[in-house]
């Protein structure tokens, strides 16, 4: 009897750890997509070591945003759209439509990124590469144990991305001392850059991905709050580490005097940097990193976007959501195959759109935490975290206001 209890306790601890790890990597790999890689390369080429400060500033904002949203989702035991509807009637439908539409367009770019990754890795035509990658993602969701397949695949791909990028960072020989100095005392501060990378890290569907995964795994309530806090912070930390390592890999190339083309029509700044740093093998490694980033983002965007459809159909089963996710990916693939807009341009626009969606959702969540403790079983939300949330919310609204013109101008560019 005692041995049975011990076995059950061990199994519970293992399941709990697996759930937290899956949520962390789902959020992190959703954030680390093709747009993330292209942005990091472009801004490193533009700002040099000073980009390190923008990374630090974005991580601080990301921590506040993610910590609030993950805590509120797990305390209320509700999905984001249901929380929004309970706090401000009707707002959940608006949030769901914004996230689903934004996720669909983002997935078109993600499939494009997977095609470009296979092109750099194997020389495969990008259209065929994108199609094969989308079919792989569909196969994962059609499997009988789709939940476990998703968890294992994103963890493997996430670790692979970080390890390969660390290798290229060592190969490029970046000026680490200068990068560390300018992380805290930059020679240049570019607020537009900070706006862009915040939107690309926790904007749109991304910040809800890990929170909804925890919800699906039953990691909810005050009793799990400590674990949820650690998972939210670890998710942002993993994303921050990947961006900083990628930044160092590209900085080494920039600091050596190599000029990276960031404005040409077919420019691929990260591919150029990886190839300069490590030759042809560097280009292949870039292909693997880009493909892993893109395919995990396809999965993360589809999973999270479809998780919002429960606001329209409360009775949908897990199997039903998996089928809806397959349809979502298939529709994204169809549009990718027929549109002529370059995937990179689509990624830039939708990345900006994610940044505009962020303050809307965050405002609703901060209001819910401040005024609707009844939704959180009477839990008294920490005032210091709410104050930080209000500050982050004001910043995202201001940055969204400053960015809205340039973002929508991309549609006519």
């Amino acid at each position: 009897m005692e041995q049975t209890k011990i076995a059950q306790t061990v199994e519970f601890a293992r399941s709990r750890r697996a759930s937290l790890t899956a949520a962390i990597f789902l959020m992190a790999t959703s954030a680390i997509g093709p747009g993330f890689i292209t942005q990091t390369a472009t801004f490193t080429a533009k700002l040099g070591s000073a980009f390190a400060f923008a990374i630090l500033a974005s991580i601080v904002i990301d921590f506040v945003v993610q910590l609030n949203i993950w805590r509120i989702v797990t305390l209320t035991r509700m999905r984001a759209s249901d929380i929004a509807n309970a706090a401000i009637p009707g707002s959940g439908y608006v949030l769901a439509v914004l996230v689903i539409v934004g996720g669909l367009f983002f997935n078109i770019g993600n499939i494009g990124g997977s095609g470009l990754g296979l092109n750099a890795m194997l020389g495969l035509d990008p259209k065929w590469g994108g199609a094969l990658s989308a079919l792989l993602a569909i196969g994962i969701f059609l499997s009988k144990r789709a939940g476990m397949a998703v968890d294992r695949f994103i963890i493997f791909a996430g670790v692979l991305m970080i390890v390969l990028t660390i290798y290229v960072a060592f190969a490029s020989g970046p000026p680490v001392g200068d990068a560390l100095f300018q992380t805290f005392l930059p020679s240049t501060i570019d607020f537009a850059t900070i706006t862009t990378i915040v939107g690309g890290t926790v904007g749109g569907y991304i910040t809800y991905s890990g929170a909804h995964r925890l919800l699906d795994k039953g990691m909810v309530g005050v009793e799990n709050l400590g674990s949820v806090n650690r998972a939210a912070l670890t998710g942002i930390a993993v994303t921050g580490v990947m961006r900083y390592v990628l930044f160092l890999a590209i900085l080494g190339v920039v600091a050596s005097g190599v000029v990276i083309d960031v404005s040409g029509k077919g420019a691929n700044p990260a591919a150029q940097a990886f190839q300069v740093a490590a030759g042809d093998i560097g280009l292949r490694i870039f292909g693997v990193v880009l493909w892993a980033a893109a395919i995990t983002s396809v999965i993360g965007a589809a999973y999270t976007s479809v998780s919002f459809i429960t606001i329209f159909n409360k009775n949908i089963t897990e199997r039903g959501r998996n089928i809806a996710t397959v349809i979502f990916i298939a529709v994204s693939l169809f549009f990718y195959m027929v549109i002529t807009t370059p995937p990179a341009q689509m990624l830039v626009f939708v990345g900006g759109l994610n940044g505009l969606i962020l303050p809307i959702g965050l405002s609703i969540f901060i209001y819910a935490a401040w005024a609707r403790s009844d939704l959180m079983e009477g839990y008294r939300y920490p005032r210091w975290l709410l104050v930080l949330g209000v500050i982050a919310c004001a910043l995202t609204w201001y940055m969204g206001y400053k960015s809205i013109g340039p973002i929508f101008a991309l549609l006519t560019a």
Side-chain angles (χ1 to χ4, degrees):
M1 189 71 174
E2 189 65 29
Q3 287 182 333
T4 302
K5 285 185 177 180
I6 293 172
Q8 288 175 340
T9 302
V10 170
E11 181 59 32
F12 174 77
R14 185 182 293 116
S15 175
R16 177 191 177 98
R17 187 167 57 249
S19 298
L20 291 170
T21 303
I24 288 166
F25 274 89
L26 181 64
M27 176 269 144
T29 54
S30 292
I32 304 169
F36 175 103
I37 292 173
T38 303
Q39 285 174 6
T40 303
T42 301
F43 292 137
T44 303
K46 176 183 174 184
L47 299 174
S49 295
F51 181 50
F53 175 79
I55 295 174
L56 176 64
S58 72
I59 289 172
V60 172
I61 296 171
D62 295 345
F63 271 137
V64 175
V65 171
Q66 181 126 310
L67 196 55
N68 273 293
I69 288 179
W70 281 37
R71 284 171 63 95
I72 295 168
V73 166
T74 52
L75 283 168
T76 58
R77 305 171 189 260
M78 294 190 290
R79 297 191 185 281
S81 48
D82 293 316
I83 296 169
N85 259 359
I88 305 173
S91 63
Y93 298 110
V94 175
L95 183 61
V97 169
L98 286 172
V99 170
I100 291 170
V101 172
L104 178 66
F105 280 96
F106 210 90
N107 238 14
I108 297 169
N110 286 335
I111 292 172
S114 66
L116 292 174
L118 286 179
N119 176 258
M121 194 193 328
L122 304 171
L124 197 63
D125 180 271
K127 286 288 185 183
W128 283 107
L132 288 173
S133 300
L135 291 174
L136 171 63
I138 286 172
I140 289 173
F141 281 103
L142 284 177
S143 67
K144 290 183 179 179
R145 306 187 70 180
M148 183 179 292
V150 169
D151 292 346
R152 289 181 175 177
F153 183 80
I154 60 176
I155 291 169
F156 168 75
V159 171
L160 181 66
M161 277 191 283
I162 292 174
V163 170
L164 290 177
T165 307
I166 288 173
Y167 167 77
V168 177
F170 274 105
S172 73
V176 177
D178 187 41
L180 289 174
F181 178 80
Q182 296 214 45
T183 300
F184 304 98
L185 293 170
S187 57
T188 303
I189 297 177
D190 190 325
F191 288 104
T193 296
I194 298 172
T195 304
T196 304
I197 61 178
V198 166
T201 307
V202 290
Y205 70 90
I206 297 169
T207 194
Y208 305 109
S209 57
H212 281 189
R213 194 65 179 154
L214 286 176
L215 206 59
D216 287 342
K217 295 286 188 177
M219 294 290 294
V220 294
V222 177
E223 64 273 19
N224 285 307
L225 205 51
S227 297
V228 170
N229 289 341
R230 288 191 294 274
L233 297 177
T234 304
I236 290 296
V238 170
T239 309
V241 166
M242 179 61 183
R243 193 182 290 275
Y244 206 84
V245 170
L246 183 60
F247 153 71
L248 289 175
I250 296 161
L251 181 63
V253 174
V254 173
S256 71
V258 174
V259 177
I260 295 178
D261 177 20
V262 297
S263 59
K265 187 174 181 180
N268 194 334
Q272 296 171 52
F274 273 54
Q275 188 166 23
V276 169
D280 284 342
I281 192 172
L283 184 62
R284 306 301 177 202
I285 288 174
F286 166 76
V288 175
V289 170
L290 183 64
W291 180 81
I295 191 66
T296 51
S297 291
V298 168
I299 292 169
Y303 168 83
T304 309
S305 298
V306 170
S307 73
F308 276 80
I309 70 170
T310 55
I311 193 71
F312 305 107
N313 182 359
K314 300 289 186 186
N315 299 319
I316 190 169
T317 63
E318 183 178 355
R319 182 63 179 167
R321 282 202 288 125
N322 284 340
I323 292 171
T325 306
V326 166
I327 295 170
F328 186 90
I329 296 171
V331 171
S332 304
L333 175 59
F334 170 77
F335 280 113
Y336 167 67
M337 297 299 286
V338 300
I339 64 172
T340 56
T341 303
Q345 188 175 326
M346 180 70 73
L347 278 169
V348 171
F349 166 70
V350 183
L353 184 63
N354 272 352
L356 299 178
I357 294 171
L358 173 61
I360 297 172
L362 184 58
S363 298
I364 297 169
F365 270 67
I366 295 300
Y367 170 76
W370 204 290
R372 296 297 307 273
S373 61
D374 58 305
L375 297 176
M376 296 179 282
E377 302 172 350
Y379 175 78
R380 182 172 172 77
Y381 207 82
R383 287 300 184 244
W384 65 270
L385 189 54
L386 275 178
V387 170
L388 289 177
V390 169
I391 294 170
C393 193
L395 277 172
T396 56
W397 273 112
Y398 173 75
M399 293 188 298
Y401 166 74
K402 297 293 286 183
S403 306
I404 192 166
I407 287 168
F408 279 93
L410 290 167
L411 290 177
T412 56

